[in-house]
Amino acid sequence: MRTALVTGSSGFIGFFLSRRLLEDGFRVIGIDNLSDYYDVGLKQRRQAMLQQNAHFQVINESIETPGLLMKLFEAERPDVVVHLAAQAGVRYSIENPRTYLESNIVGTFELLEAARAFPPQHTLMASTSSAYGANTEMPYRETVKADHQMSFYAATKKANESMAHSYAHLFGLPVTMFRFFTVYGPWGRPDMALFKFTKAILNGESIDVYNHGDMKRDFTYVEDLVHAIRLLIDAVPVRPEDGVVPDGDSLSPVAPWRVVNIGNSNSVQLTEYISAIEAATGRKAERNLMPMQAGDVPATWADASLLKSLTGYAPQTSIEQGVKAFVDWYRDYYKT
Ligand SMILES: NC(=O)c1ccc[n+]([C@@H]2O[C@H](COP(=O)([O-])OP(=O)(O)OC[C@H]3O[C@@H](n4cnc5c(N)ncnc54)[C@H](O)[C@@H]3O)[C@@H](O)[C@H]2O)c1
């Protein structure tokens, strides 16, 4: 039985991934500090569901606690590590940058040190489409330079990519970085648009629509994303002996390290997304048109051809199906 360590296991994506790995016969060790960035009750509910499986155990501590991950790696020797724990959110990072420094920079450093001492077969870590920052060439490709992050959140994630690259190079640690594109689905995050819009529409309240609705996002359904992660676990990067990297691959010439977009490869207008919520709730949204928010970008769009060539998989749940699954879950969970 392979052992997977999943950081952020009580989070939105960590919950779905842990569940998938348990189904696939992994023993899963989760770590999550149940931070109060959003409703802790939601995290506890996800965690309680995972705890019904005897092959799951969880530690409710912070990853940046000095030496904590080192001890855990020494005791458990995980074969695979999927690092999802982070302070997420673009807007929150403007007022609360220190939390990002602690969870994302110090936390990732602690994880890399533990992986250096007790190397897993593969370490995979969450970065974000926000790492593309001010890039305007679409769709975003992993092989194009991304140097102009627009928020401190994005900056910490881009820094994580570089930190992991240096450890991959120095210690031969195989690392895959994911750039996730706006993940949504049941059990989703209360700070994200789908949750906020659904809640407001069902309560008869208006919704704030930024950049006057002229926003596009490559929305990725959570089960599709987790399927892609599962396949990437077995696509372990290998440092190219001659330093020559195949065309279109983001593999490092000097390390077993690559970065992979996980997105639907379909950029959808925010107005279309809102229409899908209206259809699923059966109600009309009252819109407050607002200016662009600081730190945000008007559009994201993933080129998912590297993911396809590595795994044969391309996410494909339609917005209508995915939004409906969320709204059905929301109504059931909150009894509305
Ligand atoms: N959801 C998205 O659209 C999206 C997009 C791009 C990148 N990401 C990245 O994917 C990862 C997972 O995101 P998510 O949407 O599931 O977010 P989430 O907030 O639901 O999950 C993160 C989990 O990590 C835990 N955590 C936070 N700081 C911690 C710390 N210092 N120590 C231990 N646990 C800690 C939180 O309690 C939470 O349960 C994050 O790294 C995030 O930045 C998410």
Side-chain angles (χ1 to χ4, degrees):
M1 194 174 224
R2 287 207 282 172
T3 299
L5 177 74
V6 177
T7 74
S9 51
S10 311
F12 170 40
I13 298 168
F15 162 64
F16 276 92
L17 179 69
S18 299
R19 205 168 69 171
R20 171 69 198 259
L21 294 178
L22 290 165
E23 278 166 18
D24 285 3
F26 280 81
R27 182 169 80 97
V28 176
I29 299 159
I31 178 161
D32 197 302
N33 68 358
L34 302 175
S35 83
D36 63 3
Y37 169 59
Y38 64 77
D39 180 16
V40 177
L42 188 56
K43 296 182 182 183
Q44 283 167 333
R45 285 281 292 274
R46 299 185 190 121
Q47 180 167 300
M49 287 172 67
L50 294 173
Q51 282 172 313
Q52 286 170 9
N53 189 311
H55 295 127
F56 178 79
Q57 69 188 83
V58 65
I59 295 125
N60 288 132
E61 303 265 10
S62 294
I63 53 166
E64 66 270 28
T65 309
L68 178 91
L69 286 174
M70 185 69 83
K71 280 205 200 97
L72 190 62
F73 274 60
E74 183 175 15
E76 304 291 352
R77 310 287 169 116
D79 302 294
V80 173
V81 173
V82 187
H83 176 36
L84 302 170
Q87 177 59 56
V90 167
R91 283 154 215 163
Y92 191 72
S93 74
I94 298 170
E95 302 306 329
N96 302 280
R98 190 172 296 278
T99 324
Y100 292 74
L101 185 72
E102 286 160 1
S103 291
N104 304 5
I105 302 291
V106 182
T108 299
F109 165 73
E110 288 288 332
L111 185 121
L112 287 168
E113 275 291 280
R116 167 188 179 175
F118 304 99
Q121 288 155 16
H122 195 182
T123 302
L124 305 98
M125 301 195 190
S127 182
T128 168
S129 59
S130 306
Y132 288 104
N135 287 14
T136 51
E137 193 187 312
M138 303 266 171
Y140 291 148
R141 271 202 306 276
E142 301 90 337
T143 47
V144 171
K145 228 163 63 145
D147 283 345
H148 303 120
Q149 284 72 44
M150 308 272 273
S151 66
F152 192 65
Y153 165 62
T156 61
K157 288 291 183 173
K158 186 70 191 343
N160 287 166
E161 294 181 8
S162 301
M163 289 160 67
H165 182 272
S166 69
Y167 272 62
H169 169 67
L170 291 168
F171 311 115
L173 205 64
V175 176
T176 296
M177 301 294 314
F178 316 119
R179 288 187 182 152
F180 295 155
F181 285 70
T182 317
V183 188
Y184 75 103
W187 297 94
R189 276 172 33 201
D191 62 322
M192 292 184 71
L194 178 57
F195 195 110
K196 289 205 255 187
F197 288 175
T198 301
K199 184 177 178 189
I201 292 171
L202 290 176
N203 288 340
E205 293 159 4
S206 59
I207 59 171
D208 289 341
V209 179
Y210 291 100
N211 205 27
H212 306 279
D214 188 14
M215 300 266 271
K216 288 177 98 176
R217 287 288 179 272
D218 195 330
F219 295 100
T220 314
Y221 190 61
V222 66
E223 304 251 27
D224 286 348
L225 179 106
V226 159
H227 191 132
I229 295 177
R230 176 64 194 90
L231 295 172
L232 283 170
I233 286 175
D234 296 329
V236 184
V238 177
R239 175 184 175 155
E241 262 172 37
D242 49 9
V244 177
V245 176
D247 260 3
D249 197 344
S250 61
L251 185 67
S252 165
V254 295
W257 178 102
R258 71 156 63 84
V259 57
V260 184
N261 289 339
I262 307 185
N264 233 34
S265 211
N266 179 24
S267 199
V268 172
Q269 277 287 352
L270 185 57
T271 46
E272 201 182 311
Y273 197 56
I274 296 170
S275 300
I277 306 173
E278 289 176 329
T281 54
R283 300 202 189 173
K284 213 73 200 136
E286 191 192 317
R287 304 163 198 220
N288 288 330
L289 299 183
M290 310 277 283
M292 186 74 177
Q293 292 211 114
D296 229 342
V297 297
T300 67
W301 179 10
D303 181 327
S305 48
L306 179 58
L307 172 67
K308 182 91 200 270
S309 74
L310 291 170
T311 64
Y313 181 68
Q316 51 206 341
T317 301
S318 72
I319 291 293
E320 290 71 24
Q321 291 169 318
V323 165
K324 183 170 182 315
F326 173 81
V327 171
D328 288 350
W329 167 79
Y330 185 95
R331 281 199 152 124
D332 181 52
Y333 188 82
Y334 292 101
K335 308 278 174 255
T336 56

